[in-house]
Amino acid sequence: MTGRTTDRKGKSKELKSLTNELQNEIAAFTLPNSLPCSEIDFPVAPRRKPRANWDEILEESEEKFQEVENYENSKKGRQPLSPFLNTECNYLKETVFVHLQPALEETLYKAQIWEALKQQKCFFNGIDHIAQLLWNNNPRHPQRKEHNLHIFNMPWVRELLKTNPRAYYPKSWLWPEDYAATVIQKTVRQYFVQREDEVQEMRNFWRKLEVERSIPEIQGNPLLSKKFAASQN
């Protein structure tokens, strides 16, 4: 019995000493004036899972398909068309528009600078500028780029103006807008009417009749009639 009582007394003394040490440590502990943000656990709001945007998915798929098509086209290469497949559209696209489109773009840029689309009386002439660009940038005559002549300094223009001089004032300066619009509409309608097959046939008939009246020998001379028929075709 005496041994058990001594053990209990020893344990109680140890507990008292531990409690005293904890109380002393708690009394000596003081909070710091400030804590770094890295040591503070702020509450984090739960994030929602991003939903799939159908437009973005379509755009990404189209971009991927376009990349695949571009890669396939680059591998295939362009094959030259056979002569019987070369149409007028291909000729215009590959031969004419290659040089005409840059000239039109530069002409529009110059027209904006001169404000030709806002002012009726403007020194800038778009048709003259297009002719000047096409003549100077002709790929068959690369030496013309070195001189880059103005249209009125070109030899063929000077010769043409000697025989057919221009009016002092262009019609765009003299005509009012209403009358100019009427003339443009009339010309466009005339073109679309004259290109019809029936109208073309009638015009050819009157043209041949006029030639026969002016040259009476054509009726009795088969060679002249054949030559005239070949020239009309």
Side-chain angles (χ1 to χ4, degrees):
M1 294 294 290
T2 56
R4 291 181 180 177
T5 54
T6 54
D7 293 337
R8 289 178 181 175
K9 289 180 180 179
K11 289 181 180 179
S12 61
K13 288 180 180 179
E14 290 178 358
L15 290 173
K16 287 181 181 180
S17 62
L18 290 173
T19 53
N20 292 329
E21 289 178 359
L22 288 172
Q23 289 177 357
N24 294 329
E25 290 178 358
I26 292 169
F29 177 76
T30 56
L31 290 172
N33 295 327
S34 62
L35 291 174
C37 295
S38 60
E39 297 181 3
I40 301 173
D41 295 332
F42 293 99
V44 179
R47 295 182 179 179
R48 295 182 179 179
K49 294 182 179 180
R51 296 181 180 178
N53 192 351
W54 186 247
D55 295 333
E56 294 179 357
I57 294 172
L58 290 177
E59 290 178 359
E60 291 178 358
S61 61
E62 288 178 359
E63 290 178 358
K64 290 181 180 179
F65 281 124
Q66 190 66 31
E67 290 178 359
V68 173
E69 289 180 358
N70 294 334
Y71 178 76
E72 290 179 354
N73 294 330
S74 63
K75 290 295 182 182
K76 287 180 181 178
R78 188 174 182 182
Q79 298 178 356
L81 295 174
S82 57
F84 61 88
L85 291 178
N86 283 328
T87 60
E88 291 82 359
C89 294
N90 292 331
Y91 177 78
L92 291 173
K93 184 178 179 180
E94 298 175 2
T95 308
V96 178
F97 289 156
V98 175
H99 306 287
L100 182 60
Q101 186 173 357
L104 293 174
E105 291 177 357
E106 187 174 349
T107 304
L108 288 175
Y109 177 71
K110 288 291 182 67
Q112 290 179 354
I113 293 175
W114 284 89
E115 295 183 354
L117 303 176
K118 298 179 181 179
Q119 300 177 3
Q120 182 181 2
K121 296 181 180 180
C122 182
F123 180 76
F124 179 75
N125 191 329
I127 298 176
D128 290 347
H129 189 70
I130 292 172
Q132 177 181 334
L133 291 174
L134 294 177
W135 193 83
N136 288 324
N137 297 321
N138 192 342
R140 297 182 180 178
H141 303 278
Q143 69 277 5
R144 293 178 182 175
K145 290 185 178 181
E146 299 176 359
H147 303 288
N148 196 13
L149 296 176
H150 192 268
I151 187 167
F152 292 111
N153 294 330
M154 297 176 185
W156 64 275
V157 175
R158 288 187 173 184
E159 293 178 0
L160 183 63
L161 291 176
K162 288 179 182 178
T163 56
N164 299 313
R166 284 188 176 182
Y168 190 74
Y169 292 109
K171 294 180 180 179
S172 60
W173 287 25
L174 302 175
W175 290 353
E177 293 183 359
D178 297 338
Y179 182 72
T182 304
V183 173
I184 293 171
Q185 291 176 3
K186 182 183 70 173
T187 307
V188 172
R189 289 174 183 172
Q190 180 182 359
Y191 169 74
F192 282 109
V193 170
Q194 289 181 356
R195 65 181 293 183
E196 295 181 0
D197 296 335
E198 297 177 355
V199 179
Q200 287 288 333
E201 185 178 358
M202 182 62 67
R203 294 184 69 191
N204 290 331
F205 169 76
W206 287 108
R207 192 181 297 112
K208 291 179 182 179
L209 184 61
E210 184 179 359
V211 172
E212 290 177 358
R213 288 177 179 176
S214 61
I215 307 174
E217 296 86 2
I218 198 172
Q219 295 181 359
N221 193 342
L223 295 176
L224 289 176
S225 60
K226 287 183 180 180
K227 186 177 181 180
F228 174 71
S231 64
Q232 295 298 319
N233 295 329

